[in-house]
Amino acid sequence: LYKRCIHDLLARSEHKLRDGADLAWDQWHSSNGDENLRAVARLAGSALSDVESVGERLLVEEEKLLAALPTDWPAQPPSGLTTFTAQQSFVRWLAGAAGLLNEPKDGLYEFAHQSLQEYLAAVHLDAEHRDASSKATEVLRRSKYEHQWDVLIYWAGIMSESGVAALDVVLGGLISAEGLGLDLAGIIFAEGLG
């Protein structure tokens, strides 16, 4: 559901452009939907990167969002934009036409819904931790913080979609850890994963 919702939000401005609408002058996005997804997932992951932060909707300064994007992205900025101004325009697009971010105060952003941010953070974690051992280590590290569990449960779902091998390693690590790890493993099993 989240995957489809995010896909639709990221694609809706493309549909509007095809229908003749124009983006606001200060908004830009890549024509590659996968690039847009990776970039917004990276933003969500960086906003939740402090594993000890409280698990509430976070207001994030534009500078922190921009710092989370790869310094060389986009590789080919559109005509008239530098890499930095393209990144600024991308964040504005996410808060404008895409609708994934809100800007309740100038220069401060939040994701439109906490669950979207958590799912996107899970997408980012999955991209950053490719092998089963790395995934298990990161899940175990974050499992100590209950406010990170929704992200970890979404991540378990993503792992499950790509085959259960990595998820089996993750669940084995959580079960061996006992305590909170065992509790999280139980929740993941209760979600029908693993």
Side-chain angles (χ1 to χ4, degrees):
L1 177 64
Y2 291 108
K3 187 178 189 177
R4 181 61 192 203
C5 177
I6 291 163
H7 174 270
D8 288 351
L9 287 170
L10 293 175
R12 79 176 171 174
S13 63
E14 282 302 314
H15 299 298
K16 289 179 182 178
L17 289 172
R18 278 192 294 257
D19 291 340
D22 288 328
L23 281 179
W25 68 270
D26 63 345
Q27 295 180 24
W28 171 85
H29 67 286
S30 170
S31 58
N32 180 326
D34 291 337
E35 255 185 46
N36 293 327
L37 177 61
R38 281 191 300 274
V40 72
R42 191 171 175 141
L43 296 179
S46 75
L48 293 175
S49 65
D50 179 6
V51 295
E52 296 183 36
S53 66
V54 178
E56 298 174 3
R57 281 177 93 171
L58 302 172
L59 286 176
V60 182
E61 294 175 351
E62 182 178 39
E63 293 78 28
K64 183 174 179 180
L65 290 175
L66 294 171
L69 292 170
T71 56
D72 60 349
W73 184 81
Q76 299 269 304
S79 178
L81 296 179
T82 65
T83 299
F84 180 73
T85 56
Q87 291 175 347
Q88 287 177 310
S89 296
F90 177 73
V91 170
R92 289 186 189 113
W93 172 73
L94 290 171
L100 271 168
L101 295 178
N102 296 322
E103 187 180 11
K105 298 179 184 176
D106 281 348
L108 290 175
Y109 294 88
E110 65 184 355
F111 278 81
H113 197 277
Q114 184 176 349
S115 61
L116 292 174
Q117 180 178 5
E118 291 165 343
Y119 176 80
L120 284 163
V123 169
H124 175 68
L125 286 171
D126 198 59
E128 290 291 305
H129 302 278
R130 300 305 303 159
D131 63 88
S133 174
S134 176
K135 291 176 193 281
T137 300
E138 186 64 13
V139 168
L140 195 55
R141 183 177 79 83
R142 289 175 179 262
S143 71
K144 296 179 263 181
Y145 307 101
E146 291 181 58
H147 59 271
Q148 290 278 316
W149 284 13
D150 287 333
V151 173
L152 299 178
I153 293 165
Y154 289 132
W155 193 12
I158 292 168
M159 284 184 243
S160 174
E161 287 177 3
S162 17
V164 293
L167 185 54
D168 286 346
V169 173
V170 166
L171 288 168
L174 288 171
I175 291 167
S176 298
E178 298 180 350
L180 289 177
L182 189 57
D183 293 346
L184 178 58
I187 293 169
I188 291 170
F189 281 124
E191 290 287 330
L193 306 168

